[in-house]
Amino acid sequence: MAWFRKTKTPKPIRPERPRSNVPEGLWVKCEGCKEVIYSRDLDRNLRVCPKCGHHMRIDARTRIALLLDEPEPRELFTGVTPTDPLAFRDTKRYRDRIKTYQQAVGERDAVLVVQGHLDEIPVMVAAMEYRFMGGSMGSVVGEKITRAAERACERRLPLLVISASGGARMQEGVLSLMQMAKISAALGRLRAAGLPYISILTDPTTGGVTASFAMLGDLNVAEPGALIGFAGPRVIEQTIRQSLPEGFQRSEFLLEHGFLDLVVQRSEMKEMLARCLRHLYRP
Amino acid sequence: MTASDSQFDIPLAELRKRIEELEGYPAGSSQDKELERLRVSLRKNTAEVYGHLSRWQKVLVARHQDRPYTLDYVHFLMEDWVEVHGDRAFSDDPAIVAGLARFRGRSVAVVGHEKGRDTKERISRNFGQPRPDGYRKALRVMKMAEKFRLPVLTFIDTAGAYPGLDAEERGQAEAIARNLIEMSALTVPIVVTVTGEGGSGGALALGVGDRVFILEYATYSVISPEGCAAILWKDQNKKAEAAEAMRITAPDLLQLGVVDAIIPEPPGGAHTDPEAACRRVGDVLADALDELVRLSPNELIARRYEKFRALGVYDEG
């Protein structure tokens, strides 16, 4: 027999009452310093925490808007869309996952390519969209970045690629792996043509994306505090059975170890890229 | 293979062992009859079992510890082998071997993963999981081959690039990426053979070539079945499902256009007769080199570019 018995039905914890009319998402907690920040202040500061300088993730279109002069630069290769070459199914069908992300994110896959001007310098830009399946690289990402490199060669433009990705997309199997080789070969052509390629690494850039185009820039430039690596921190911890030192695989760590040229604040990125490009490139 | 995973191979291994024992005895008519009976049984059972391997079972065959590794191919196929060492920057990584050899009358550069045979050697070779130093050594030797106009033969067999703290510190990602761009532009023939496990970026870093071959029971994948299962199914035990879903076996890869041809293994897998397996690979490599050495450097890299350019499946509309 139970010792305690409920004799009356409990009251609802929150009785129906008008809820506060502050809209959702008006306040954001910074992951860096745990400070609660007014969302509009954060937007004004380019989603960089005004208290601690933590750079929050932003979407691909915002990144392009921060770098290019045109309010609406010309988007290229928009017709390239994902399919399901392996008829892949884990707990969910890949086909359905694609649809879900397309609806939720409003993009067709995890990269956008635009042609425009950065402080009046003509450029080709590819920006990865982390919200779309963790920015994972499948055939579409591989094809669009390759085309961006090839088009940059044809038009004699510098190429900028902004990375934000967990790596290769498992749902397209070995075809995703092969995109690493395909893009790298296209960057080889850009190199042979004497055109600049600047890799801009943002939080997070890992796996097959780091182990191909993200590390191959004439200049590798990162935002502060971005996670950048080949293996993810959890995999490394499991391998070596130790916890990792503070700051391991962050931008500043990579700068110190010689794999980045610069770590640049979001607010200063455009100006810095323009300065670099003016040294490396004459239209 | 662990015992529980590789049930399918145990009866075959036992048959082979009994045949070997009997072969050691002096000949006699009753013995010969028994031997013949066992041989027939082995042939029949091997054909039965190896004709119906699941994808996961092929993974286990690809990982078999008696499979030929790079140094076995060198041993059975080449003469005048000179192993060279070091990346000229930090260390010599024993997980990758590299050197010069004579192969069917030609000097070639050889680069490949090396897992090691016994436990002690396996540990010293880090089970064939290279650090950046290994990839940089590989590239150094490939660039040397280019300078002296030698074709490059690579042999791929790794679970993946080593995911360790020191490997990250020294730029695992950069080392792999560097090999991809440099191999795509190397002006001498590169012939790639996936001999066992083609584990992700750590495999691809030796995998950009004019011809890519794969052994019958080898695999090539974007992530290990265990890794994929842990991430997508949140359960490492779903590795067989992951192997199926990712389609990582030789026939899958041929269908996807990732490899040019499958090299058949001896019945029962390369581990049952390493020398025969190596010879079959040698014949295919020799034919490929005969074709490739006729191409000019420009033709070579243009065709290599188109080969990888064509990989990927997407809609356009």
Side-chain angles (χ1 to χ4, degrees):
Chain A
M1 203 190 92
W3 285 16
F4 300 99
R5 190 176 297 167
K6 281 179 187 157
T7 53
K8 47 185 177 181
T9 49
K11 277 186 199 165
I13 295 168
R14 264 173 188 245
E16 289 304 313
R17 68 183 150 108
R19 302 191 56 173
S20 122
N21 54 8
V22 179
E24 284 287 314
L26 205 57
W27 295 89
V28 178
K29 191 171 173 182
C30 170
E31 283 169 40
C33 61
K34 311 290 176 213
E35 191 82 27
V36 177
I37 309 153
Y38 186 44
S39 186
R40 227 178 287 164
D41 286 346
L42 198 55
D43 284 341
R44 261 196 294 271
N45 206 34
L46 313 175
R47 307 294 290 179
V48 174
C49 174
K51 301 281 190 320
C52 73
H54 175 73
H55 282 54
M56 297 183 189
R57 291 171 187 172
I58 54 176
D59 62 61
R61 288 193 190 274
T62 308
R63 292 213 175 267
I64 289 168
L66 289 178
L67 293 187
L68 293 194
D69 305 341
E70 293 88 345
E72 282 183 26
R74 192 154 67 93
E75 194 176 340
L76 303 174
F77 320 125
T78 51
V80 182
T81 53
T83 63
D84 180 12
L86 307 186
F88 192 96
R89 181 186 192 136
D90 47 83
T91 52
K92 220 173 150 183
R93 295 197 316 174
Y94 176 43
R95 206 170 277 279
D96 297 336
R97 263 186 218 275
I98 293 173
K99 276 202 200 104
T100 309
Y101 277 101
Q102 284 176 337
Q103 277 160 10
V105 179
E107 305 291 354
R108 299 173 105 173
D109 207 306
V111 73
L112 304 174
V113 177
V114 297
Q115 191 183 328
H117 293 80
L118 187 151
D119 206 9
E120 292 171 9
I121 307 163
V123 287
M124 183 72 67
V125 180
M128 299 190 79
E129 179 54 71
Y130 187 73
R131 292 176 307 150
F132 196 104
M133 289 187 81
S136 58
M137 169 170 60
S139 298
V140 171
V141 169
E143 182 65 22
K144 286 176 80 171
I145 297 180
T146 302
R147 287 192 194 185
E150 289 174 340
R151 183 69 65 88
C153 268
E154 283 166 30
R155 305 276 158 93
R156 299 212 56 82
L157 298 175
L159 175 69
L160 312 181
V161 179
I162 307 165
S163 299
S165 171
R169 187 175 294 171
M170 288 173 284
Q171 289 87 345
E172 291 184 30
V174 74
L175 291 174
S176 300
L177 185 70
M178 293 301 141
Q179 304 310 308
M180 295 166 62
K182 177 164 126 183
I183 297 170
S184 300
L187 293 176
R189 290 206 161 173
L190 202 68
R191 178 175 75 176
L195 293 163
Y197 162 48
I198 301 183
S199 168
I200 300 150
L201 300 92
T202 71
D203 185 59
T205 298
T206 60
V209 166
T210 320
S212 59
F213 56 90
M215 273 292 145
L216 290 175
D218 293 305
L219 299 175
N220 295 335
V221 182
E223 284 193 342
L227 177 74
I228 301 166
F230 176 62
R234 256 178 310 161
V235 175
I236 301 170
E237 283 182 335
Q238 282 165 15
T239 307
I240 62 172
R241 299 198 174 100
Q242 288 169 27
S243 54
L244 297 168
E246 181 76 25
F248 181 69
Q249 289 186 316
R250 296 287 164 182
S251 304
E252 297 71 20
F253 176 92
L254 271 92
L255 181 71
E256 196 181 315
H257 284 82
F259 295 100
L260 295 176
D261 292 279
L262 296 157
V263 176
V264 180
Q265 300 281 333
R266 188 171 290 163
S267 57
E268 290 159 14
M269 186 64 86
K270 180 173 179 173
E271 194 202 331
M272 179 54 87
L273 293 174
R275 284 174 57 196
C276 293
L277 285 173
R278 278 189 235 284
H279 285 300
L280 301 175
Y281 175 71
R282 269 157 225 84
Chain B
M1 297 189 215
T2 61
S4 61
D5 278 333
S6 59
Q7 294 295 345
F8 65 94
D9 212 43
I10 291 170
L12 303 179
E14 277 169 4
L15 270 173
R16 280 194 293 270
K17 207 173 140 203
R18 273 170 61 199
I19 291 172
E20 215 171 282
E21 276 169 13
L22 278 181
E23 279 170 344
Y25 295 139
S29 65
S30 67
Q31 212 140 293
D32 289 354
K33 236 182 233 162
E34 174 67 0
L35 251 177
E36 190 47 38
R37 194 187 65 75
L38 288 175
R39 282 187 186 132
V40 170
S41 164
L42 177 65
R43 255 199 307 278
K44 221 183 93 214
N45 284 310
T46 302
E48 176 62 28
V49 170
Y50 273 72
H52 300 95
L53 291 180
S54 69
R55 288 188 171 92
W56 173 248
Q57 286 172 327
K58 287 186 186 176
V59 171
L60 297 172
V61 177
R63 291 176 184 171
H64 197 288
Q65 54 184 2
D66 294 335
R67 248 181 120 73
Y69 300 139
T70 300
L71 289 176
D72 299 297
Y73 289 95
V74 169
H75 172 76
F76 286 120
L77 298 175
M78 301 180 198
E79 292 133 42
D80 270 344
W81 165 245
V82 182
E83 187 177 343
V84 300
H85 295 275
D87 66 347
R88 300 290 190 272
F90 184 80
S91 79
D92 180 47
D93 184 352
I96 286 183
V97 292
L100 304 168
R102 190 165 297 279
F103 170 62
R104 311 243 170 137
R106 267 192 199 100
S107 277
V108 296
V110 176
V111 177
H113 299 102
E114 185 63 42
K115 288 181 167 177
R117 203 48 75 187
D118 56 32
T119 306
K120 198 175 150 201
E121 195 195 351
R122 280 174 179 267
I123 290 167
S124 80
R125 293 193 184 278
N126 201 30
F127 303 87
Q129 293 203 276
R131 292 179 163 82
D133 330 322
Y135 294 113
R136 292 184 180 126
K137 169 170 70 175
L139 181 60
R140 180 178 75 82
V141 172
M142 289 190 269
K143 296 296 271 184
M144 176 168 69
E146 182 178 49
K147 177 176 174 186
F148 296 102
R149 312 305 309 157
L150 306 177
V152 177
L153 303 176
T154 74
F155 297 91
I156 291 177
D157 189 3
T158 182
Y162 183 61
L165 191 143
D166 56 340
E168 290 288 326
E169 264 178 349
R170 297 204 294 281
Q172 189 71 284
E174 194 276 343
I176 293 170
R178 183 69 47 205
N179 282 16
L180 301 183
I181 189 171
E182 296 299 342
M183 287 181 86
S184 75
L186 205 78
T187 58
V188 291
I190 303 174
V191 181
V192 176
T193 311
V194 183
T195 61
E197 286 181 278
S200 191
L204 185 65
L206 304 182
V208 183
D210 306 295
R211 296 281 186 279
V212 180
F213 300 115
I214 188 165
L215 268 71
E216 189 176 359
Y217 302 118
T219 60
Y220 201 175
S221 64
V222 64
I223 185 171
S224 69
E226 289 90 339
C228 178
I231 296 170
L232 291 183
W233 278 266
K234 319 242 180 286
D235 179 2
Q236 280 224 3
N237 297 319
K238 300 283 186 195
K239 52 203 177 184
E241 285 88 335
E244 287 296 320
M246 288 197 293
R247 301 189 23 202
I248 63 178
T249 65
D252 299 325
L253 294 156
L254 187 66
Q255 204 191 347
L256 293 168
V258 171
V259 300
D260 297 296
I262 298 172
I263 305 177
E265 296 187 22
H271 57 281
T272 62
D273 191 348
E275 182 168 357
C278 290
R279 299 250 165 260
R280 289 177 182 208
V281 170
D283 293 344
V284 174
L285 296 184
D287 288 348
L289 283 185
D290 285 341
E291 286 172 32
L292 292 170
V293 291
R294 289 194 216 118
L295 300 176
S296 72
N298 284 340
E299 267 178 303
L300 210 52
I301 55 175
R303 289 188 191 191
R304 195 182 302 147
Y305 187 86
E306 291 310 324
K307 177 177 170 56
F308 284 86
R309 181 71 187 82
L311 295 176
V313 178
Y314 52 87
D315 273 341
E316 180 132 42

